[in-house]
Amino acid sequence: MVKVTYVHHDGTRTEVDGKEGDTVMHTAVAQDVEGIVGECGGAMMCATCHCYVDDEWLDAAGERRDGEEDMLDCGAAEVKPNSRLSCQIRLSPALDGLVVHLPEEQM
Ligand code: FES
């Protein structure tokens, strides 16, 4: 199991156990974490899975993938240096304890 904490816009936190190999988006949707929609199912075509990777986890989460930046620009939430599409972050043991912050709105 890989622990992921989603910090909602109001500061509340939801901590869940994810499976290695699943994405941060899928983990949230499968466990009814509010604030991640994942409308396109992870095909990188909607940007409703926008998250802000906590500063402490930026290196472990890795770089944005090709095309991710363009899709982030299409979303409703402000794009920041730590913005990622959560459907493009795959859980691994190195991400155990990952913290991501959620925007106020996704659509
Ligand atoms: S779920 Fe659509 S871009 Fe991530």
Side-chain angles (χ1 to χ4, degrees), residues 2 7 10 17 23 30 42 45 48 56 58 61 64 66-67 72 74 79 81 85 87-88 91 97 99-100:
V2 181
V7 183
D10 65 1
D17 287 322
T23 65
M45 294 180 70
T48 62
E56 287 189 19
L58 280 173
R64 290 179 188 160
D66 281 350
L72 283 166
C74 297
V79 179
L85 295 174
C87 66
Q88 300 302 308
L91 298 181
V99 177
V100 295

Side-chain angles (χ1 to χ4, degrees), residues 26-43:
H26 183 258
T27 301
V29 170
Q31 301 191 54
D32 295 325
V33 176
E34 286 197 23
I36 298 256
V37 180
E39 196 167 70
C40 76

Side-chain angles (χ1 to χ4, degrees), residues 47-98:
T48 62
C49 64
H50 192 152
C51 72
Y52 304 111
V53 176
D54 192 87
D55 289 346
E56 287 189 19
W57 290 93
L58 280 173
D59 286 345
E63 301 283 315
R64 290 179 188 160
R65 293 171 179 252
D66 281 350
E68 201 175 328
E69 194 151 345
D70 289 342
M71 189 47 59
L72 283 166
D73 283 338
C74 297
E78 179 190 358
V79 179
K80 301 178 183 177
N82 60 342
S83 287
R84 291 293 308 272
L85 295 174
S86 60
C87 66
Q88 300 302 308
I89 305 173
R90 217 161 267 287
L91 298 181
S92 69
L95 289 178
D96 188 23
L98 176 68

